[in-house]
Amino acid sequence: MKEQFQEPAYYRVAKDLKKDIEKGNLKPGDAIPSEAQLSRQYNVSRMTVRQGLSQLANIGYIKTVQGKGNFVARPSVEKLVLNLSEENLFNASDKISIKLLGVEVIKAGTQESRKLALDVSTKIIKVARLLSTREGPVAIDTRCLPYLKGKPILEKEIGYAAFPEVINHYSEILSIRNELSISPTLLSEAEANQLKAEKHLPALCLEQVLFAYNGTPLGWSKMICRGDRYTLQADSYPHSREL
Amino acid sequence: MKEQFQEPAYYRVAKDLKKDIEKGNLKPGDAIPSEAQLSRQYNVSRMTVRQGLSQLANIGYIKTVQGKGNFVARPSVEKLVLNLSEENLFNASDKISIKLLGVEVIKAGTQESRKLALDVSTKIIKVARLLSTREGPVAIDTRCLPYLKGKPILEKEIGYAAFPEVINHYSEILSIRNELSISPTLLSEAEANQLKAEKHLPALCLEQVLFAYNGTPLGWSKMICRGDRYTLQADSYPHSREL
DNA sequence: CAGTGGTCTAGACCACCCT
DNA sequence: GGGTGGTCTAGACCACTGG
């Protein structure tokens, strides 16, 4: 007979309170028993109680107010999390295949230079890709990043990894912020051709700009997704209501 | 002369390591000095060091591995946070004005019943709204929630609050999960009329379903936004890289 | 003032990982 | 085995809140 796993004391405190909150015994705004009280009730030290409470705070179940107490938090369901990792972009069950449409080093036009805060005519690398599932082409992807002299361009890396990965590998600077804009458009003639769709099909335009710690833009990416084959999904945050 | 605020010891530990990570002295994957080592180095107890490290873990700077150590985490910039609160939906500087287009109690059609997991012909409340900024109409919003017998319908609440708020007030059940789908469309003739736009203008369709703790759908909402006046913005998570 | 949470200690023992 | 983090204690003093 295997020994039972012994759950930590702080975990029991957190779990019990979590259940009370989910059952509605404790409603948003309600005060939680004081730390001293819980400490006596569970016969554990105050630090242990605090560890349990900090777990609940981390998953957004309670808010702590100095000098007053711990209170049940109102779930904030208006913030949503969107996962743009390449595996997650499309249905996980559907493998994506990627086709490189082109890799080139060119002078930045006004569009790219503005996005990347570069002078016009600075050299940049531009990568175009076609993403498909079994159903067929789904999205066209264009990526721009400043060209670094003497740095080899590995098409494999630059074409077949998620955009933030590309930035990290190529520029060797950690990207720390990602700004995304989502807007609707119609497929242009060129886009429609590449996506094997009719012109003027509704499409999603996802534009990303990645920044370094110091605020420097490191890269810019634009993805055009066929509206009939792709829907963006987001889920309320915090995702994990687990301890 | 005012007394200087004395920052906690654990805060200093966290701040120093955070700076090292941001400067690149510590790179993703690198091990952080052991807790015992930091404890000696800062001349504080191990629990205090641990409190500092837990702060860093909370903002995603480090990962802890039992029996091995603490390691600098790779920033995950592929998860983005989207804020759908009503004040945030459009440019904060632009006040939104809301016009109620209609509030009615009707029998659920197949569409609504499917989304809300109700039988067809169960009664639901349907609210239609028009959202405008100074520029003019921006979005049409339709909300459906199960009709509760004997529960008064307060048009003010149902029409002028963010959707999750509405659900909480009306059904008196906490909504705990929000699923959002984002897709592109073209304005239908009716939508174009209400939004004072040309037909077939590209538009964003934002569809939300709210759920209770037990998984019951509590409400469904669909918002159609003029593409020329509205762009959805999202930002990488975790947002707060602050201690 | 009494009650709350915030910080901190100096130990202890355990579970895990590696060699 | 020795090193790491994980849990836990029984105190202590501080800072903030409210009556």
Side-chain angles (χ1 to χ4, degrees):
Chain A
M1 182 102 170
K2 197 100 187 287
E3 275 297 326
Q4 273 299 311
F5 171 69
Q6 174 71 36
E7 69 182 10
Y10 76 86
Y11 185 77
R12 226 194 119 217
V13 176
K15 215 182 47 181
D16 284 358
L17 289 170
K18 179 167 181 273
K19 201 163 292 178
D20 278 345
I21 293 171
E22 290 178 352
K23 277 190 183 166
N25 300 342
L26 291 169
K27 291 190 195 318
D30 285 0
I32 279 174
S34 78
E35 296 176 356
Q37 214 167 317
L38 289 168
S39 165
R40 285 190 298 275
Q41 184 180 323
Y42 283 89
N43 201 23
V44 296
S45 84
R46 201 184 137 216
M47 285 305 269
T48 301
V49 169
R50 281 176 65 76
Q51 190 172 350
L53 294 179
S54 98
Q55 304 271 305
L56 289 174
N58 281 342
I59 63 171
Y61 271 49
I62 66 173
K63 288 289 174 207
T64 288
V65 185
Q66 155 105 252
K68 299 181 76 172
N70 289 285
F71 302 88
V72 179
R74 172 176 315 284
S76 101
V77 91
E78 298 179 12
K79 287 190 181 173
L80 296 127
V81 174
L82 216 156
N83 193 335
L84 274 197
S85 63
E86 209 117 291
E87 325 85 60
N88 201 286
L89 249 188
F90 308 102
N91 236 321
S93 54
D94 256 17
K95 272 278 187 193
I96 331 167
S97 64
I98 298 174
K99 184 184 167 194
L100 268 190
L101 298 178
V103 179
E104 36 179 1
V105 177
I106 58 171
K107 288 183 179 169
T110 52
Q111 180 176 248
E112 294 91 353
S113 64
R114 203 174 50 241
K115 301 281 182 185
L116 294 175
L118 297 172
D119 286 338
V120 180
S121 87
T122 308
K123 281 189 182 167
I124 59 169
I125 303 174
K126 193 169 198 168
V127 182
R129 311 187 307 157
L130 179 69
L131 310 183
S132 310
T133 63
R134 265 195 304 272
E135 287 183 77
V138 180
I140 311 174
D141 187 276
T142 309
R143 303 163 159 193
C144 291
L145 43 171
Y147 173 67
L148 301 178
K149 219 163 51 180
K151 179 81 183 173
I153 302 171
L154 302 175
E155 301 202 347
K156 252 183 251 173
E157 280 190 2
I158 260 172
Y160 297 101
F163 190 49
E165 290 297 318
V166 169
I167 299 289
N168 288 341
H169 268 103
Y170 180 74
S171 66
E172 283 175 357
I173 302 177
L174 275 185
S175 54
I176 201 50
R177 215 171 99 234
N178 191 351
E179 284 184 7
L180 172 69
S181 298
I182 306 169
S183 52
T185 36
L186 304 181
L187 292 183
S188 70
E189 184 133 10
E191 291 161 349
N193 281 341
Q194 292 180 302
L195 289 171
K196 290 184 184 141
E198 325 116 48
K199 198 183 156 190
H200 293 334
L201 186 81
L204 274 186
C205 172
L206 307 181
E207 222 178 313
Q208 296 178 68
V209 184
L210 273 84
F211 297 90
Y213 273 116
N214 61 12
T216 315
L218 294 175
W220 168 68
S221 147
K222 181 174 161 182
M223 188 155 97
I224 305 285
C225 304
R226 281 181 66 155
D228 56 344
R229 291 191 177 156
Y230 184 59
T231 301
L232 250 190
Q233 305 279 352
D235 224 316
S236 54
Y237 157 80
H239 225 134
S240 61
R241 309 214 153 253
E242 307 300 324
L243 301 173
Chain B
M1 185 94 168
K2 197 103 186 283
E3 274 299 325
Q4 273 298 312
F5 170 69
Q6 174 70 36
E7 69 182 10
Y10 75 85
Y11 185 78
R12 224 193 121 217
V13 176
K15 214 183 45 181
D16 284 357
L17 289 171
K18 180 169 182 269
K19 201 163 292 177
D20 278 345
I21 293 171
E22 292 179 352
K23 278 190 184 165
N25 300 342
L26 291 169
K27 294 194 194 314
D30 285 0
I32 279 174
S34 78
E35 297 176 355
Q37 214 168 318
L38 289 168
S39 166
R40 286 190 297 274
Q41 184 179 325
Y42 283 89
N43 201 23
V44 295
S45 84
R46 199 183 139 216
M47 285 305 269
T48 301
V49 168
R50 280 176 66 76
Q51 191 172 350
L53 294 179
S54 98
Q55 304 271 305
L56 289 174
N58 281 342
I59 62 172
Y61 271 50
I62 66 172
K63 289 289 176 209
T64 287
V65 184
Q66 157 104 250
K68 298 182 77 173
N70 289 286
F71 301 87
V72 179
R74 173 175 315 284
S76 102
V77 89
E78 298 178 12
K79 287 190 180 174
L80 296 127
V81 175
L82 215 156
N83 193 336
L84 274 196
S85 63
E86 209 116 294
E87 324 85 58
N88 202 285
L89 248 188
F90 307 103
N91 236 321
S93 54
D94 255 18
K95 271 282 185 192
I96 332 167
S97 64
I98 298 173
K99 185 183 166 194
L100 268 190
L101 298 177
V103 179
E104 39 180 357
V105 177
I106 59 171
K107 288 183 179 169
T110 51
Q111 179 177 249
E112 293 92 353
S113 64
R114 203 175 50 241
K115 301 282 183 184
L116 295 175
L118 297 172
D119 286 337
V120 179
S121 86
T122 307
K123 282 189 181 167
I124 60 168
I125 304 174
K126 192 168 199 167
V127 182
R129 310 186 307 157
L130 180 68
L131 310 184
S132 309
T133 63
R134 266 195 304 272
E135 286 184 79
V138 180
I140 312 174
D141 186 277
T142 308
R143 301 161 160 195
C144 291
L145 42 173
Y147 173 66
L148 300 179
K149 217 162 54 178
K151 180 80 184 172
I153 303 170
L154 302 176
E155 302 202 348
K156 251 182 254 174
E157 280 190 2
I158 261 172
Y160 298 102
F163 190 49
E165 290 297 318
V166 168
I167 299 289
N168 288 342
H169 269 103
Y170 179 75
S171 67
E172 283 174 358
I173 302 177
L174 275 186
S175 54
I176 200 54
R177 215 172 100 234
N178 190 351
E179 284 183 9
L180 172 70
S181 298
I182 305 169
S183 52
T185 36
L186 303 181
L187 291 183
S188 71
E189 183 132 13
E191 291 162 346
N193 281 340
Q194 292 179 304
L195 289 171
K196 289 184 184 141
E198 325 115 47
K199 199 182 156 190
H200 292 335
L201 185 81
L204 273 187
C205 172
L206 307 181
E207 224 178 311
Q208 295 177 71
V209 184
L210 272 84
F211 297 90
Y213 273 116
N214 60 13
T216 316
L218 295 175
W220 168 68
S221 147
K222 180 176 162 183
M223 189 155 98
I224 304 284
C225 304
R226 281 181 65 155
D228 56 344
R229 292 192 177 155
Y230 185 58
T231 301
L232 249 189
Q233 305 279 352
D235 224 316
S236 55
Y237 157 80
H239 223 135
S240 61
R241 309 217 152 251
E242 307 299 323
L243 302 173

